[in-house]
Amino acid sequence: MAYDGKIVRRALRRFEEDKKDREDRTRDRRESVFHRQPRLREIDAELRATMSRILSTALRRGTDPRAAVEALKKQNLGLQEERRLLLEGLGLPADCLEDKPACPLCGDTGWREGRMCRCLKAYCAREQQKELSRMLDLGSQSFETFSLEWYGQAEDPALGVSPRENMDWIYRTCKRYAAGFGPGSGSLLLTGDPGLGKTFLSAAIAREVSAEGFSVVYDTAAHVFDRFEARKFGREAGEAVEADVDRVLDCDLLILDDLGTELTTPFVQSALYTIVNSRITDRRPSILSTNLKLEDLARRYTPQIVSRLEGEYQVLPFFGEDVRRLKKERG
């Protein structure tokens, strides 16, 4: 799962802040207990010293350390029992002075066997949701809040289905896609007029997929092409523009909105082909959203691009009345 560097840096910062907060609370709790029973502070210091002596004795050369180690272990156990009784007298559990990690898998390091631990992945997922929320209304745009009532029930003579029947199929398709998302999920092409729910369902998918720990990038086509152009022609230097391009190509799920609203130039054609082709080759799913119909796409983009879209993307055609306008009219 390829979270982009910006997300990982934010997650690491929050991870370390929370870790320090836990350490501070543990220190304050220990100090409070030591204040109530000073002997516990002495026992704590003696236990630490005993462990050091056990280690140094075990490593000592030229003598048999077993007898000395056993004696130190008995001393250690005696101190532990005294500590337990003192804590019990205070009405506290035996482990209340221990500094226990929040994550037993990685010991609060965030990494396990050279890979990101699930605890740090959870931080990345939360930071990614914050990032997505800047462009999408993840608070209200979900599969649970999607409603078919805005779509008419009269059958379209040319298509043989009503807008509601069509949207019910699209809704169920998107929900299955999000629930079973993975590298082999394939890609979706959402087409149709504005105001029919393309962004809503894209947001619902982004919400579900991101919550499962996959990296999701949502952006407009115009902005993405601008970043590719900035890198190509050197309009901007430094790591930021490189990172923006890399995150588009490397994320687990790319959602590219408003395809077709950009000024179509030879460079844009090339950039779009690079995005579509490289992500297909790398088995990285994408969702493209456009107000254009397939025949419009065929006229606007190169045959190579259209061939890739028609051959590798599942097309979800939206039609009906503008839902945003209907909601506004009905108050």
Side-chain angles (χ1 to χ4, degrees), residues 24 31 55 59 63 78 81 176 182 224 226 284-285 289 314 328:
D24 290 344
E31 286 300 318
L55 288 173
L59 294 173
T63 61
E81 178 61 14
R176 284 195 303 269
V224 166
D226 179 74
R284 300 184 190 276
S289 179
Q314 181 178 9
K328 186 176 181 180

Side-chain angles (χ1 to χ4, degrees), residues 2 11 25 37 50 71 79 97 123 138 150 159 199 208 223 228 232 237 259 262 290-291:
R25 289 196 299 271
Q37 176 49 267
T50 300
L79 290 169
L97 295 177
Y123 278 82
L138 297 185
W150 303 101
L159 300 173
T199 298
E208 296 287 326
H223 183 255
F228 271 70
K232 174 70 174 179
L259 180 65
E262 76 287 344
T290 179
N291 297 335

Side-chain angles (χ1 to χ4, degrees), residues 143-144 168-181 188 201 204-205 208-209 316:
F143 289 116
E144 289 71 25
D168 181 52
W169 169 72
I170 289 177
Y171 167 80
R172 287 184 284 106
T173 299
C174 290
K175 191 171 183 179
R176 284 195 303 269
Y177 183 87
F181 182 82
L188 304 177
L201 289 177
I205 293 173
E208 296 287 326
V209 172
L316 303 182

Side-chain angles (χ1 to χ4, degrees), residues 199-262:
T199 298
F200 192 111
L201 289 177
S202 294
I205 293 173
R207 177 177 182 158
E208 296 287 326
V209 172
S210 176
E212 289 300 314
F214 292 98
S215 58
V216 180
V217 168
Y218 176 95
D219 210 336
T220 63
H223 183 255
V224 166
F225 296 143
D226 179 74
R227 304 311 288 160
F228 271 70
E229 190 174 5
R231 185 182 71 166
K232 174 70 174 179
F233 298 107
R235 290 208 319 262
E236 293 182 31
E239 298 179 358
V241 67
E242 291 289 341
D244 285 344
V245 171
D246 288 344
R247 65 198 285 266
V248 167
L249 297 177
D250 297 339
C251 63
D252 296 319
L253 175 62
L254 170 66
I255 302 178
L256 199 61
D257 198 14
D258 284 338
L259 180 65
T261 60
E262 76 287 344

Side-chain angles (χ1 to χ4, degrees), residues 86-185:
L86 289 172
L87 289 171
E88 187 178 285
L90 295 174
L92 298 172
D95 63 351
C96 78
L97 295 177
E98 295 178 12
D99 186 9
K100 294 177 288 187
C103 179
L105 296 177
C106 69
D108 287 352
T109 64
W111 304 91
R112 186 176 177 226
E113 297 177 355
R115 296 184 178 182
M116 188 182 291
C117 183
R118 67 185 184 190
C119 62
L120 182 53
K121 286 181 182 178
Y123 278 82
C124 288
R126 287 195 291 272
E127 290 303 319
Q128 182 174 245
Q129 293 246 327
K130 292 178 184 177
E131 183 75 11
L132 290 171
S133 293
R134 295 178 181 180
M135 297 189 71
L136 296 168
D137 184 9
L138 297 185
S140 62
Q141 292 175 328
S142 67
F143 289 116
E144 289 71 25
T145 59
F146 185 81
S147 175
L148 292 171
E149 69 172 289
W150 303 101
Y151 301 89
Q153 300 186 65
E155 181 179 300
D156 185 300
L159 300 173
V161 294
S162 69
R164 183 169 298 186
E165 290 171 325
N166 181 64
M167 282 308 303
D168 181 52
W169 169 72
I170 289 177
Y171 167 80
R172 287 184 284 106
T173 299
C174 290
K175 191 171 183 179
R176 284 195 303 269
Y177 183 87
F181 182 82
S185 293

Side-chain angles (χ1 to χ4, degrees), residues 26-37 41:
T26 298
R27 185 182 62 252
D28 291 345
R29 183 177 67 249
R30 287 167 59 86
E31 286 300 318
S32 175
V33 173
F34 291 158
H35 180 75
R36 293 173 63 187
Q37 176 49 267
R41 187 191 299 275

Side-chain angles (χ1 to χ4, degrees), residues 182-197:
S185 293
S187 297
L188 304 177
L189 177 60
L190 282 51
T191 70
D193 293 335
L196 294 177

